[in-house]
Structures are given as C-alpha cells and as structure tokens.
Amino acid sequence: MARFPDNEIISLVSKAPRFDLAESVGPSVRLSELIDMAFGNDADFSLDYGTAAGNPELRRQIANESGVDADDVVVTVGGMHALFLIAFTLCQAGDEAVVAEPVFPLARNALAAVGAVTRALPLGFDTGYRVDLDALRKLLSPKTKVVSLASPQNPSGVAIPAQTLREIVAMLAEHAPEAWLVVDETYREAAYGDDIPAPSAASLGPKVISVASLSKCHGSAGLRIGWAITRDTALRQALVTAKFSTVISCSPVDEALALAVFRQRDRIIGERRKLLAQNLQVVENWVSRHPAHIEWVRPDAGALCCVRLKREVFDAAAVERFYATLAKYSTRVAPGAWFADDPLVFRLGFGLPTLTALAIALECVSVALTEATRTDGK
C-alpha cells in the first residue's frame, strides 16, 4: 500500500538521545529573536491565505541571496515540498531519473513515488564522494527527465565544483535533451568561518532547478519554508499550479517569520558559520586520534560529514556492537544504510551540539569504537 518506503531516518523527528550526532542541523533560531521584526506591535496580523507563488518580498530576499530575479522563485512548504513538486511536474510513470547516491532518502522517494525509474549514480567514500562524469554519461538516455544532485551533499558535506556542474549541464544538452538538472543547495550557505559560500547553481542554465530551504543554514527548520528556483517561465508556472493544487499556499505567519530571518541573515548565518568551523576542528582532531578504527572525508560545507569504520577491524558483528554500545551511552550517529551508503559508513552531525556537548558525545563514540573491537571477550 505504501507509496513511500520506510526508512529509519524518520527517527530524527521523534525522541532524541542525550547526544544526537545523527542530526544534520545547527542550533535553531528562537521565536523571540524574530517576533518583533516579523510583526512589531501589529496584533491585528491577518491570517489570510498567502499567494500561490509565495510572499513577493520573501521571493525578492531569496532571489538576492541566489543571484536571480524574484520572478524565478517559487516558495514551498520546506525543501522537500519543492523536490516533490518538481518530481510530480516533470516525471510520468516510466520516465527515468538519475539520483546520486548516497542520498537523503526523501529526495529519491519523491521521484519513485510518481512512478519514475530511478537510476543510481554511485558516489564512493574512496573517491571522496566526487561525481564521476563518465559514469553519469552512461546512465543518461532519451527517457531521462531529471538528474538529481545535492551540493553540498547529504550525508557527506562534499560540494560539487562549479566547473563540474557546467560540464553536467552541457552533457545533458547533448545526451539527454529532455532532462532537467535539479541541485539541492540546502547546505550551500553553511560555510565554515570566513569561507566564501559557493555560488548558486540557479544561473547555470534554463534547465537547471535550484532547491533550498531555511532548515539548515538559517536554523529555522520549524518554519517549513523552502523554495525552487527556475528561469523557465513555463516550468515555474507549472510548479505554482502544483503548489496551489496541493497546499494552496504557505502559511503567511511562516512567511512573515521567514522574512525576519532573511533580514537578520548576516547575524544568524554568521553565528552558525563560526560554530561550524569550531566544531569541525573538534571533529578533525577527534578523527586523528583514532587512525586504527576510523577514517573520514572532510566536508566542504554543512553540519555533517561521513566517517567510515575500518574494514580490517570491523566485521558485521563488530558493527552491531558499535551501534549497541552507542545506544547504551544514549548517543546516536546516522547509519550509512539510511542513505544507501556502505554499512561501515556513518553520518556524523557536528553542527547542533555546543563545543562541550560535542566533545562529550565524541568521547562516547570513542568508547563504542574501543568496546566494539575488543578481543578479550569482555
């Protein structure tokens, strides 16, 4: 009966353990930080419908951040709503979609749910989760309607270089002219410290669609505000119609609060970039202390990275003991299986805890690494 497959990643929106290194977000903005800027003293804020395309001023703010025009933006109920509307609009049953894996599973599920045949473009730990252009070319066909990528990727935090994206756009024009390139840029602004964020892919061509949201970089997952950006007028109108036909509009309260987030974006994002840089250094130092047990791919941006248990040390039983020990210490990481990755890989989220909490949580992981590989039977 189910159109969407079960995945244990749903546990992230249920009760959390004491130390949650499975999360992929940073600290959340508090409502008190936004309420005055959003509403002032206006107790008569009218709870009308919003517009189908989204609040015009909010679309202007999003456009300014992405280097496009406000008319290119469609505001959605979170980034996942945008990905679903894109899949529903572009794909008929039997059409093909190429999805880079490992992947945030809901991005793949949206395509499968509308009947698209998904073809996996494997991204491997050993190659640093970099896109192999030759492998992508072999997956394309005249039936390809969507190529779905993320940059930076979830779960790895690895970004796709701008030159690679340009080559993909040219490749699609030649080998899959009906295909649209969808780039999930939810983590693009989550740079580290003073690092300069990558430019948006939205301006790379008329058949490129950028998707993002306030959930990760802006600390506002609870607002459920995302967006799709396309320079194609017909597709944009189709997405607006699809949005109207599914949710009518976003909440005007959420949109007003989202505007307040954008008006404080330098402070909000700046604080989180500083925390990400500090916490990333803690993780890097921790990884260097365990060369016999783990290895990692250093992320380019975002609040997450991929760590791999050493194959020569961890057999299947040791992997089970590792996760069981973590649970004993009320600590969680995100198993690679959630994302169709190697079972030895796990996603480690380092953006949410304070420095002190992160250090304690990583010590719990250290204990799990040691206990899982003990050979004395204790």
Side-chain angles (χ1 to χ4, degrees), residues 282-300:
V282 171
V283 172
E284 188 162 16
N285 293 342
W286 172 78
V287 170
S288 70
R289 288 170 39 209
H290 297 282
H293 293 96
I294 56 173
E295 52 197 337
W296 76 323
V297 174
R298 194 183 195 278
D300 297 313

Side-chain angles (χ1 to χ4, degrees), residues 315-327:
D315 58 15
V319 172
E320 281 193 32
R321 289 195 298 271
F322 170 70
Y323 284 104
T325 306
L326 284 179

